Amino acid sequence: MTTAEEEGADPGCGGALRNERIVLRAYVLFRLGGLLQVAIGAVATHPHYRPLWAGLALCAAVFAESLALVAVALRRRRVPPPALAVADSAVLAVVLVVGGGLADHTHGSTWAYFAYPFSLLASIGFGLVVKRLAAVLVLAAVPASAYAATAVLRLGEPVWNAVPNGVPYLANAGIAWAVARALRRTGRELDATTSTAAAREAELAAERERVRHARLLHDRVLQTLETLARTPWVTDPGLRAHVRAEAVWLRGFVRGEHPAPGRAGPDGQDGTTHLVHGLSSLAEDMARVGLAVELNTAQLRSAGRREGAGPAVPAPVAEALVDATREALANVLRHAGTERAVVRAELSGNAVLVSVLDNGSGFDPSAVPGGGLGLRSSVRDRVTGVGGRVQVESAPGAGTYVEMRVPLSATG
């Protein structure tokens, strides 16, 4: 037997909580209605109990047990736990047996007086508390059996009358179980629908924010870049070509033609293809600003085509490596004093590796914070953000080698 919490009625969820409170109110009202039956029966039929004080004591015990259950339910703000339902089933059986023993035998089939109608209403609580139908029917069968046995064996009631009178215990509990189950399921479905709607609203809000940022980029940064690319203010041809290329890329980004981090590449391509495509486009961009890039992705392309050649490169990893390579090549263009660089991408074991090599002026990594030339923020942060690492080897006059390696197992 499981409680409401175990059944998925999250106290913090609106629909599930509201419907659980409806079940609670039904439990309390049926229990109080049963006590009303006790009060009416005690007043109307007290002469039939021998001795009278024992009948009144039984009434008092019934009131005490029922009010205790109601108090527990109200304090919990949900129906009592199933363990109390088990105890309640036993108490109802005892009340029926004791009530039958106290009843005046001359009244035959009316021996139960308040015990029978009270216990019928109380049995509804089994269906509201317990979540498994088989357990509900077992709990209801206990007072039903106590009633039938006492009526037949002690009071001489015919079997054909006593047994059918016990069936309503099972019917009441079963119907209550079905109604409570439907209410709880509806509450969970409502909460799931609400959560989905909230998630979609968040996505729409994010998309509206992206559109707003794209508009700002278009109205400010993009127009400035395109103006610089058209006017003679930038006298260096290479730099002007670079500005023009960046303006073209930014316009494509504003239009949504370039994937955002964590998404697949163009046309929904996988991460491996996106990495090859991104590095190829990057080599073309660098060529327009005066840096000849020798690109070698043959091993990566071959591994991507071979079935079972290894794990594919996730799109976020491909995006990070392309951006980091762009920054590494920008460093070559700005600082290395060379017009050539070599970029190689491959799958090495269970990792993807991209390296950038130039034969430029080089530098002393130990003398420059962060590994040199802004590599910490421009390259390292992008690679470490997807679980990889960056290795830099350089020396004055000997060029620079940047290796970016991302274990594919670490990226999921």
Side-chain angles (χ1 to χ4, degrees):
M1 291 179 288
T2 57
T3 64
E5 292 88 341
E6 295 168 333
E7 195 66 18
D10 183 354
C13 294
L17 179 60
R18 285 194 298 272
N19 286 4
E20 193 64 32
R21 298 289 167 75
I22 293 175
V23 174
L24 168 62
R25 286 194 289 270
Y27 178 89
V28 171
L29 290 175
F30 275 115
R31 198 74 193 200
L32 295 179
L35 292 181
L36 181 61
Q37 290 278 3
V38 173
I40 294 174
V43 171
T45 62
H46 67 275
H48 302 301
Y49 285 96
R50 298 289 186 273
L52 179 59
W53 65 265
L56 295 178
L58 182 62
C59 290
V62 168
F63 263 86
E65 191 253 354
S66 295
L67 292 178
L69 288 174
V70 169
V72 169
L74 294 178
R75 185 168 59 250
R76 283 166 45 90
R77 303 187 70 182
R78 61 179 62 244
V79 293
L84 292 185
V86 174
D88 188 37
S89 176
V91 169
L92 292 180
V94 171
V95 168
L96 286 164
V97 172
V98 173
L102 296 176
D104 185 349
H105 294 189
T106 60
H107 289 82
S109 60
T110 61
W111 69 268
Y113 301 117
F114 71 79
Y116 179 65
F118 163 73
S119 59
L120 282 179
L121 287 177
S123 65
I124 293 174
F126 302 146
L128 300 178
V129 171
V130 181
K131 306 304 185 297
R132 296 178 183 174
L133 179 59
V136 169
L137 296 179
V138 168
L139 292 178
V142 172
S145 301
Y147 163 79
T150 303
V152 172
L153 299 177
R154 183 171 179 81
L155 301 177
E157 187 173 339
V159 175
W160 57 264
N161 187 64
V163 172
N165 284 343
V167 173
Y169 288 96
L170 305 179
N172 287 356
I175 293 172
W177 172 84
V179 173
R181 183 171 181 267
L183 280 172
R184 290 179 173 121
R185 183 177 62 248
T186 301
R188 292 193 297 270
E189 291 173 351
L190 176 60
D191 289 336
T193 302
T194 302
S195 298
T196 301
R200 290 177 179 173
E201 178 61 27
E203 291 176 359
L204 289 175
E207 180 63 20
R208 287 193 293 267
E209 188 69 7
R210 189 198 69 79
V211 171
R212 187 178 72 85
H213 290 164
R215 188 182 302 113
L216 291 174
L217 288 173
H218 178 274
D219 295 343
R220 304 290 296 271
V221 180
L222 180 58
Q223 291 187 5
T224 300
L225 288 176
E226 291 179 335
T227 300
L228 290 174
R230 290 193 305 267
T231 62
W233 294 341
V234 179
T235 57
D236 183 84
L239 181 57
R240 182 182 299 174
H242 180 67
V243 171
R244 186 181 300 113
E246 291 299 306
V248 171
W249 184 92
L250 182 58
R251 180 169 290 280
F253 180 81
V254 169
R255 292 175 177 174
E257 297 171 1
H258 300 301
R263 298 183 181 176
D267 302 323
Q269 65 195 18
D270 61 85
T272 303
T273 306
H274 178 35
L275 179 56
V276 174
H277 179 277
L279 293 177
S280 300
S281 299
L282 179 55
E284 295 174 2
D285 292 344
M286 290 295 113
R288 286 195 292 268
V289 295
L291 181 65
V293 177
E294 179 183 336
L295 178 63
N296 187 340
T297 58
Q299 190 268 357
L300 184 62
R301 293 197 305 272
S302 176
R305 287 193 297 267
R306 293 199 308 270
E307 184 176 357
V313 179
V317 174
E319 188 76 25
L321 287 173
V322 170
D323 289 345
T325 304
R326 180 186 299 276
E327 294 300 326
L329 291 174
N331 277 333
V332 173
L333 189 64
R334 288 193 294 265
H335 304 289
T338 182
E339 297 179 351
R340 300 188 63 82
V342 178
V343 175
R344 178 179 176 84
E346 62 181 333
L347 289 176
S348 176
N350 197 39
V352 58
L353 184 150
V354 177
S355 62
V356 178
L357 174 66
D358 71 78
N359 60 351
S361 57
F363 65 98
D364 182 2
S366 64
V368 184
L373 307 178
L375 287 176
R376 179 184 297 278
S377 59
S378 61
V379 177
R380 291 185 191 277
D381 288 353
R382 286 177 167 85
V383 177
T384 57
V386 289
R389 61 180 178 83
V390 178
Q391 179 182 351
V392 180
E393 298 177 6
S394 185
T400 303
Y401 175 76
V402 179
E403 180 181 286
M404 297 164 281
R405 179 187 294 268
V406 181
L408 297 180
S409 59
T411 66

